[in-house]
C-alpha cells in the first residue's frame, strides 16, 4: 500500500508545474546515495514542514511531509514485542482486534543465552512483526547496566557486564534493521534506577562512564549501525539526558560519528534552548509539554514545535540547528518509510513462536541441582504438585511500556500439563495456589485471560500446599516477582530484595515435608533466597513470553537441556551490592529548591562481579553461572604466543568435551586481569566468550581471540583508551567463579 501511495505522489509531483522540476525528484530515486537524497528533500521543505517532522503528532507518530510524498513515522514500544495500538492522544488501548503479537523473552533472558545468534534471530523476528503492524521504529533494545537489583526495569536490559551487553545488542539491532525497521536503543544513559527517574542527577567518574555505562551503546552505534537512540529521563552533569551536551553532542555525535536520530523519551524534554542546541532531534511525549497534563492534542505546544518556530522567525536561532535535525530525520525516513526494498512482515507466525521458544529455552538458567533432582522423571512419578501464583499468572501484561497484548501465552501450569499428558499420562498433576500476589486482571485496558481472585488467607493457602506436598513425588514452586508496581515494573523500584507475598514462609513449609522441591523463580532480577540450602533445585525462569509454559516444561522434564548463564551477579544480601554497601542509592536531595536528587556512583567501575571480586565476597550465584543436565570438561588452554604488541592479537585455544549422556551447550568465558597498572583495575573482566553445542562424547576446540581493546582502560587524563605494556593474565572457565585455566602473557 505504501509503495502505491508513494508512486502516486511521485507521479503527481512530477506533473506539478513550478514547484518541482518535470523530472522525478532526486530524493525519490533509490539509486542515488542517501546523503544526496537527504539534501534534495531538505531543500524542498518549508519551515513549517521542517518543524513538523521533529516532534510528535500523536502518542507514537511524527508527521512526514505529505506534499513531498514522505509518509508519517510510526514508532511503537518494544523491546519484547510490538505493543498494542493506543488511541491517538491517550495511553488507553485502541481496542483493535488485529494488534496482537508474539511476546518474545525479556532481554535479561536473551542476555542469559550468551548466544549472539539468538539475538540476531530475536531482532529479525521482531522486525517482521513490526513490519506487519506498519511500525517504522521499535523503541528498543535497552542496554542500561544492572547497577542495583532493585531497579524495576532491569528485566528490559542485558545485565551488569558491558562486554556481554555489547555482544548481544549488536546482532539484535542488525537483525531488526535488516527488515527496514529502525531500532531505537535506550535509555542513553545512566538510567539505572526508576525511583525519581525524572529528578536524579547521576554523578559518575569519566572512567566508569566509558568503561561500564557506555560500551553497549557505543557498540550498538558503531558496530550495529543503529539508526536511532533514545535519551534517558535522568540527568548527567546537571543536564537532562534527552538534551545533554556531553552525552549527545560530544560523545555520541562527535566521537562515535552517530548519523541517526536522537529521540526523546516520552516527556523527557524540559528546556527549549537545550533541546535546540544539545543534540535532540525528535521530541515525543504526552499532553502539553510532553510530560505533565495541561491540554490534550497539544503537540504543537512542544519545545521543538511552534515555540521553536517562533524563535527562528524572531532571530533567536538560525535554521542551522533545525536543518541538522531534519537531515537526520530524513535519513531515517530513507532507511525505513521510504525504503521500497523493505520485505513484507508477518504476525504471530509459527516461525516467530518457534524463535521465542528457542530463545527462552537457551536462556533459562539452572542455578542449583542437588542430587540431580532435575530433570523430572515423570515416568516414575505418580503425582507432581505445582504451587504458586506465578504458575498461572500472565506475565506479558503490565510492567510499563513493554506491556503487550499477545495472541497466546502458555502458562507454566498449562505447559507442564500438556507435556505430562503426552509423555506420561498416568502421572497426576495437581495445583495449589500457595500465595496471593497481585490479582489485577488488566493493564491499559488489556485484559488477562485468567481470573486470579482468591479469598482464602495465607495460612490456609500454605496449609493446603503443604498437605498436598506430603503426597507428591515432586513439588514445583513457581514464584518470584511479577510486573506489578514495585516489582519488575517501569516507574518503580523494588522496595525489598526479598521475595514478596509471604513466599519465604511457603517455601520453608514445603521444604519441611518434601525434599524433592524445585523452585522456579520468575523475574528479571535476582532475589534473596534465605532457604537456598534447603531447596534441592532452583531454576531462573525469567519473563519468557508467549511460549513460557512450553519452554519451562521442556527444561523441567528434560526435553531441553538448560544452557543459560547468569548475566548478572546474584547477591546473597542486598548489601553485597556496591550501590547499597556504599549507601549511594537512591541519592540525596539537594538543599535548594531545584527538586534535583544527586546520586553519586561511588563504586566507580566496581559493578557486579567486579565488586564482589574486590571485596572477596562469595555471591549466591556468580556472574556467568549456569548448570546443565550433562557435564563438560575443559582442557588446559594454550596460547598462540606469549608476547603481543599493541597492533597484535592473541588467541587462546581450549578443547571442550561433553562427558555426559545428553546433548548440551557450554559457554567458554575468557576474562583478563592486568597484573600491574598505573590505575586501579578489577581483578578480572570479561573480554570474550563462545557458546558451543556438543553431542555426548563429542569434543571441539574453541578459539578465543583478544586484541588491544581487551587490555585497555579509559584514561581520564587524556580522555582516551590506553593499554599499558606489562604482564596480563587470561582466565578461562565456565563462570566468573569457575576458572580452569590461567595463562600469563606480555604486552610489549
Amino acid at each position: 500500500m505504501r509503495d502505491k501511495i508513494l508512486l502516486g505522489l511521485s507521479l503527481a509531483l512530477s506533473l506539478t508545474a513550478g514547484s518541482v522540476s518535470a523530472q522525478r525528484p532526486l530524493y525519490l530515486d533509490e539509486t542515488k546515495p542517501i546523503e544526496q537524497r537527504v539534501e534534495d528533500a531538505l531543500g524542498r521543505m518549508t519551515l513549517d514542514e521542517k518543524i513538523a517532522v521533529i516532534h510528535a503528532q500523536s502518542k507514537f507518530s511524527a508527521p512526514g511531509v505529505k506534499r513531498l510524498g514522505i509518509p508519517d513515522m510510526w514508532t511503537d514500544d518494544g523491546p519484547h514485542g510490538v505493543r498494542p495500538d493506543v488511541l491517538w492522544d491517550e495511553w488507553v488501548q485502541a481496542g483493535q482486534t488485529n494488534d496482537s503479537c508474539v511476546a518474545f523473552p525479556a532481554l535479561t533472558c536473551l542476555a542469559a543465552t550468551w548466544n549472539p545468534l539468538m539475538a540476531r534471530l530475536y531482532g529479525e523476528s521482531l522486525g517482521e512483526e513490526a513490519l506487519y503492524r506498519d511500525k517504522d521504529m521499535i523503541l528498543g533494545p535497552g542496554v542500561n547496566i544492572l547497577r542495583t537489583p532493585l531497579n524495576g526495569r532491569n528485566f528490559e536490559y542485558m545485565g551488569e557486564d558491558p562486554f556481554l551487553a555489547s555482544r548481544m545488542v549488536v546482532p539484535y539491532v542488525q537483525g531488526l534493521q535488516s527488515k527496514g525497521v529502525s531500532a531505537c536503543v535506550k535509555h542513553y544513559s545512566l538510567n539505572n534506577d526508576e525511583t525519581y527517574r525524572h529528578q536524579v542527577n547521576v554523578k559518575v567518574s569519566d572512567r566508569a562512564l566509558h568503561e561500564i555505562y557506555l560500551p553497549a551503546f557505543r557498540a550498538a552505534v558503531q558496530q550495529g549501525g543503529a539508526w536511532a537512540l533514545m535519551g534517558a529521563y535522568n540527568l548527567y552533569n546537571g543536564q537532562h539526558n534527552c538534551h545533554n551536551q556531553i552525552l549527545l553532542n560530544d560523545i555520541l555525535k562527535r566521537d562515535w560519528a552517530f548519523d541517526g536520530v536522537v529521540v526523546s523519551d516520552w516527556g523527557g524534554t524540559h528546556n527549549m534552548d537545550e533541546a535546540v542546541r544539545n543534540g535532540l532531534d525528535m521530541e515525543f511525549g504526552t499532553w502539553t509539554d510532553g510530560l505533565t497534563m495541561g491540554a490534550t492534542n497539544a503537540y504543537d505546544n512542544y519545545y521543538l514545535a511552534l515555540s521553536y518556530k517562533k524563535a527562528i522567525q524572531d532571530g533567536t536561532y538560525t535554521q542551522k540547528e533545525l536543518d541538522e535535525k531534519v537531515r537526520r530525520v530524513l535519513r531515517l525516513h530513507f532507511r525505513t518509510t521510504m525504503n521500497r526494498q523493505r520485505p513484507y512482515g508477518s504476525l504471530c507466525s509459527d516461525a516467530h513462536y518457534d524463535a521465542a521458544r528457542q530463545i527462552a529455552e537457551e536462556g533459562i538458567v539452572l542455578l542449583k541441582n542437588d542430587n540431580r533432582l532435575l530433570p523430572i522423571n515423570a515416568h516414575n512419578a505418580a503425582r507432581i504438585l505445582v504451587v504458586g501464583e506465578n504458575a498461572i499468572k500472565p506475565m506479558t501484561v503490565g510492567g510499563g511500556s513493554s506491556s503487550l497484548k499477545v495472541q497466546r501465552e502458555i502458562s507454566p501450569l498449562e505447559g507442564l500439563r500438556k507435556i505430562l499428558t503426552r509423555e506420561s499420562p498416568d502421572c497426576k498433576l495437581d495445583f495449589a495456589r500457595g500465595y496471593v500476589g497481585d490479582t489485577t486482571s488488566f493493564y491499559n485496558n488489556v485484559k488477562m485471560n485468567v481470573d486470579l481472585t482468591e479469598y482464602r488467607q495465607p495460612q490456609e493457602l500454605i496449609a493446603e500446599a503443604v498437605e498436598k506436598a506430603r503426597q507428591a513425588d515432586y513439588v514445583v514452586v513457581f514464584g518470584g516477582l511479577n510486573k506489578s508496581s514495585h516489582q519488575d515494573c517501569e516507574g518503580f523500584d523494588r522496595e525489598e530484595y526479598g521475595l514478596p507475598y509471604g513466599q519465604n514462609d511457603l517455601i520453608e513449609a514445603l521444604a519441611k515435608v518434601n525434599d524433592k522441591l524445585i523452585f522456579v523463580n520468575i523475574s528479571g532480577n535476582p532475589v534473596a533466597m534465605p532457604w537456598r540450602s534447603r531447596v534441592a533445585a532452583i531454576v531462573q525462569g525469567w519473563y519468557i513470553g508467549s511460549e513460557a509454559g512450553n519452554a519451562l516444561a521442556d527444561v523441567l522434564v528434560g526435553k531441553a537441556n538448560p544452557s543459560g548463564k547468569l548475566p548478572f551477579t546474584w547477591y546473597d544480601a542486598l548489601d553485597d551490592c556496591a550501590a547499597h554497601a556504599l549507601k549511594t542509592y537512591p541519592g540525596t536531595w539537594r538543599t535548594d529548591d531545584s527538586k534535583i536528587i544527586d546520586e553519586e556512583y561511588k563504586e566507580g567501575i566496581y559493578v557486579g562481579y567486579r565488586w564482589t571480586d574486590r571485596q572477596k565476597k562469595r555471591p549466591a550465584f556468580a556472574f556467568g553461572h549456569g548448570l546443565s543436565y550433562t557435564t563438560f570438561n575443559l582442557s588446559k588452554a594454550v596460547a598462540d604466543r606469549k608476547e603481543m604488541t599493541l597492533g597484535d592479537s592473541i588467541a587462546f585455544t581450549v578443547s571442550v568435551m561433553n562427558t555426559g549422556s545428553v546433548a548440551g551447550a557450554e559457554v567458554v568465558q575468557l576474562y583478563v586481569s592486568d597484573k600491574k597498572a598505573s590505575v586501579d583495575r578489577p581483578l578480572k573482566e570479561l573480554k570474550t566468550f563462545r557458546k558451543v553445542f556438543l553431542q555426548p562424547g563429542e569434543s571441539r576446540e574453541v578459539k578465543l581471540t583478544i586484541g588491544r581493546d581487551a587490555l585497555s582502560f579509559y584514561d581520564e587524563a587524556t580522555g582516551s583508551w590506553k593499554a599499558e605494556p606489562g604482564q596480563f593474565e587470561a582466565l578461562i572457565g565456565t563462570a566468573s567463579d569457575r576458572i580452569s585455566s590461567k595463562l600469563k602473557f606480555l604486552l610489549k
Side-chain angles (χ1 to χ4, degrees):
M1 177 61 73
R2 276 184 174 156
D3 284 352
K4 293 179 180 178
I5 293 172
L6 287 173
L7 183 60
L9 287 169
S10 174
L11 181 60
L13 284 168
S14 67
L15 297 176
T16 302
S19 61
V20 295
S21 70
Q23 297 180 349
R24 179 183 178 84
L26 175 63
Y27 70 89
L28 287 176
D29 189 347
E30 290 190 301
T31 67
K32 300 297 183 182
I34 279 186
E35 297 311 310
Q36 290 185 23
R37 299 173 67 199
V38 165
E39 293 304 319
D40 182 51
L42 180 66
R44 299 170 186 271
M45 293 173 65
T46 66
L47 176 60
D48 285 336
E49 289 168 341
K50 291 177 181 179
I51 290 291
V53 301
I54 64 169
H55 69 84
Q57 65 176 351
S58 76
K59 280 287 183 284
F60 283 101
S61 75
V65 187
K66 295 175 177 59
R67 181 179 64 86
L68 300 181
I70 300 175
D72 294 348
M73 174 67 63
W74 283 92
T75 71
D76 209 343
D77 275 313
H80 310 131
V82 186
R83 185 177 180 168
D85 292 328
V86 300
L87 296 175
W88 186 263
D89 192 46
E90 300 178 33
W91 290 112
V92 176
Q93 305 306 307
Q96 297 179 6
T97 59
N98 63 342
D99 60 350
S100 297
C101 69
V102 172
F104 297 93
L107 293 189
T108 42
C109 178
L110 175 63
T113 69
W114 287 59
N115 188 349
L117 294 178
M118 290 297 97
R120 177 75 189 208
L121 175 65
Y122 197 124
E124 289 181 355
S125 302
L126 180 60
E128 289 168 357
E129 297 245 329
L131 277 178
Y132 189 92
R133 292 271 307 280
D134 281 336
K135 307 304 180 185
D136 306 302
M137 178 193 294
I138 287 293
L139 305 177
V143 290
N144 292 100
I145 293 296
L146 191 155
R147 177 177 177 259
T148 163
L150 297 189
N151 181 10
R153 218 163 178 182
N154 280 335
F155 72 97
E156 292 188 47
Y157 303 142
M158 296 188 182
E160 71 182 35
D161 185 76
F163 182 82
L164 176 62
S166 297
R167 280 287 303 277
M168 298 302 291
V169 71
V170 169
Y172 179 115
V173 169
Q174 292 172 335
L176 180 63
Q177 294 185 170
S178 72
K179 304 300 178 179
V181 176
S182 176
C184 185
V185 185
K186 62 185 187 182
H187 303 90
Y188 182 74
S189 172
L190 301 163
N191 187 183
N192 306 114
D193 45 78
E194 289 293 286
T195 300
Y196 312 122
R197 60 180 178 169
H198 294 282
Q199 292 90 22
V200 64
N201 175 55
V202 175
K203 303 175 75 174
V204 62
S205 69
D206 285 350
R207 186 173 169 208
L209 176 68
H210 285 271
E211 289 190 19
I212 303 296
Y213 298 102
L214 293 185
F217 290 103
R218 181 180 181 180
V221 169
Q222 294 189 328
Q223 299 173 40
W227 296 338
L229 183 148
M230 181 187 291
Y233 280 134
N234 53 286
L235 299 89
Y236 165 68
N237 200 43
Q239 290 181 338
H240 278 93
N241 287 3
C242 286
H243 33 77
N244 188 293
Q245 171 66 29
I246 295 174
L247 290 177
L248 298 179
N249 283 342
D250 296 346
I251 296 175
L252 179 66
K253 293 184 174 181
R254 183 194 67 197
D255 297 347
W256 299 352
F258 176 64
D259 70 354
V261 169
V262 174
V263 176
S264 75
D265 203 342
W266 271 231
T269 313
H270 297 265
N271 178 288
M272 184 179 72
D273 189 63
E274 289 185 4
V276 170
R277 301 183 188 277
N278 290 356
L280 180 63
D281 299 311
M282 297 183 78
E283 181 182 1
F284 283 86
T286 307
W287 303 312
T288 304
D289 61 359
L291 179 62
T292 56
M293 183 62 179
T296 56
N297 267 318
Y299 300 101
D300 283 342
N301 295 334
Y302 279 17
Y303 294 105
L304 293 184
L306 291 183
S307 58
Y308 183 24
K309 173 188 170 183
K310 292 176 182 177
I312 290 174
Q313 291 174 326
D314 68 20
T316 302
Y317 305 106
T318 69
Q319 288 198 45
K320 178 182 177 182
E321 295 90 352
L322 174 61
D323 283 351
E324 178 55 25
K325 299 177 193 297
V326 176
R327 282 188 183 93
R328 292 174 178 270
V329 174
L330 288 172
R331 195 176 292 127
L332 179 64
H333 273 287
F334 292 139
R335 289 166 167 168
T336 57
T337 68
M338 299 286 283
N339 177 8
R340 298 188 188 178
Q341 307 307 313
R342 287 206 291 188
Y344 292 102
S346 57
L347 187 69
C348 298
S349 68
D350 289 343
H352 294 168
Y353 283 111
D354 289 345
R357 188 168 180 170
Q358 184 179 358
I359 295 163
E361 289 178 358
E362 276 206 39
I364 293 169
V365 183
L366 180 60
L367 295 174
K368 182 181 179 183
N369 194 22
D370 287 355
N371 302 316
R372 297 187 178 180
L373 180 60
L374 288 172
I376 294 170
N377 188 343
H379 296 288
N380 292 334
R383 183 187 298 268
I384 296 175
L385 174 65
V386 172
V387 182
E389 180 175 282
N390 280 0
I392 59 173
K393 183 179 177 65
M395 292 295 181
T396 59
V397 179
S401 60
S402 65
S403 181
L404 301 171
K405 183 171 77 175
V406 295
Q407 186 187 55
R408 70 169 188 251
E409 179 181 356
I410 308 298
S411 72
L413 181 62
E414 184 182 355
L416 270 175
R417 180 173 287 125
K418 185 192 305 182
I419 201 167
L420 290 174
T421 299
R422 184 176 68 247
E423 302 290 333
S424 185
D426 294 332
C427 179
K428 182 178 179 182
L429 184 68
D430 202 359
F431 175 71
R433 180 70 173 265
Y435 71 92
V436 178
D438 184 358
T439 60
T440 304
S441 62
F442 62 90
Y443 184 88
N444 274 8
N445 279 15
V446 175
K447 188 170 177 60
M448 299 179 184
N449 60 357
V450 176
D451 184 1
L452 296 172
T453 303
E454 177 60 71
Y455 298 105
R456 288 175 291 174
Q457 295 300 307
Q459 299 89 331
E460 296 177 81
L461 295 174
I462 292 176
E464 177 197 39
V466 167
E467 187 58 35
K468 289 184 175 183
R470 295 181 193 275
Q471 313 302 321
D473 295 296
Y474 293 90
V475 178
V476 186
V477 180
F478 289 92
L481 309 178
N482 56 36
K483 297 289 192 69
S484 303
S485 298
H486 299 291
Q487 299 293 311
D488 283 324
C489 183
E490 179 185 358
F492 305 91
D493 284 342
R494 296 163 62 194
E495 296 177 325
E496 60 178 344
Y497 189 46
L499 287 171
Y501 314 126
Q503 291 179 69
N504 287 338
D505 293 338
L506 169 66
I507 296 165
E508 294 278 12
L510 292 171
K512 290 178 181 178
V513 300
N514 197 309
D515 59 2
K516 289 189 175 181
L517 180 59
I518 302 158
F519 180 70
V520 182
N521 187 63
I522 306 298
S523 77
N525 264 309
V527 299
M529 294 181 173
W531 35 259
R532 176 165 52 95
S533 63
R534 295 180 291 281
V535 174
I538 303 174
V539 175
Q540 176 58 18
W542 311 112
Y543 301 114
I544 50 179
S546 291
E547 289 292 304
N550 288 332
L552 286 165
D554 282 348
V555 167
L556 291 173
V557 304
K559 289 294 180 182
N561 190 351
S563 62
K565 300 281 187 175
L566 285 178
F568 50 65
T569 301
W570 198 297
Y571 305 105
D572 250 334
L574 190 59
D575 279 347
D576 293 341
C577 170
H580 298 275
L582 299 176
K583 311 299 182 188
T584 64
Y585 167 90
T588 304
W589 288 102
R590 293 182 180 177
T591 55
D592 57 22
D593 60 356
S594 63
K595 297 182 180 179
I596 297 296
I597 184 170
D598 289 313
E599 186 173 1
E600 184 177 0
Y601 289 13
K602 293 181 180 179
E603 71 280 5
I605 60 174
Y606 289 96
V607 175
Y609 68 90
R610 291 164 169 80
W611 173 258
T612 53
D613 280 352
R614 187 186 200 195
Q615 299 300 111
K616 298 181 180 179
K617 276 277 190 180
R618 187 171 181 84
F621 303 106
F623 172 79
H625 169 80
L627 305 178
S628 172
Y629 294 152
T630 190
T631 54
F632 298 94
N633 180 65
L634 271 63
S635 70
K636 287 296 180 181
V638 295
D640 67 351
R641 63 180 67 191
K642 293 184 179 180
E643 297 180 353
M644 62 178 288
T645 62
L646 288 178
D648 290 333
S649 62
I650 184 169
F652 302 89
T653 302
V654 60
S655 179
V656 185
M657 184 175 187
N658 182 345
T659 56
S661 58
V662 295
E666 183 58 281
V667 179
V668 184
Q669 305 165 31
L670 186 150
Y671 299 80
V672 169
S673 175
D674 189 343
K675 305 310 292 183
K676 186 178 181 180
S678 62
V679 296
D680 192 24
R681 301 200 71 176
L683 179 65
K684 62 179 179 292
E685 298 178 279
L686 180 71
K687 293 303 178 182
T688 191
F689 61 87
R690 184 176 170 191
K691 192 168 192 175
V692 57
F693 295 82
L694 298 170
Q695 295 298 316
E698 182 183 6
S699 64
R700 189 175 304 167
E701 285 193 346
V702 173
K703 187 175 182 180
L704 301 167
T705 303
I706 58 173
R708 174 181 178 171
D709 57 336
L711 312 180
S712 301
F713 63 89
Y714 187 80
D715 183 21
E716 293 183 329
T718 62
S720 62
W721 291 89
K722 183 177 183 180
E724 293 179 333
Q727 191 172 84
F728 291 81
E729 190 171 44
L731 300 92
I732 299 171
T734 57
S736 63
D737 66 343
R738 294 189 66 185
I739 302 299
S740 57
S741 290
K742 296 182 179 181
L743 294 93
K744 292 181 179 179
F745 63 96
L746 192 67
L747 175 64
K748 298 182 71 175

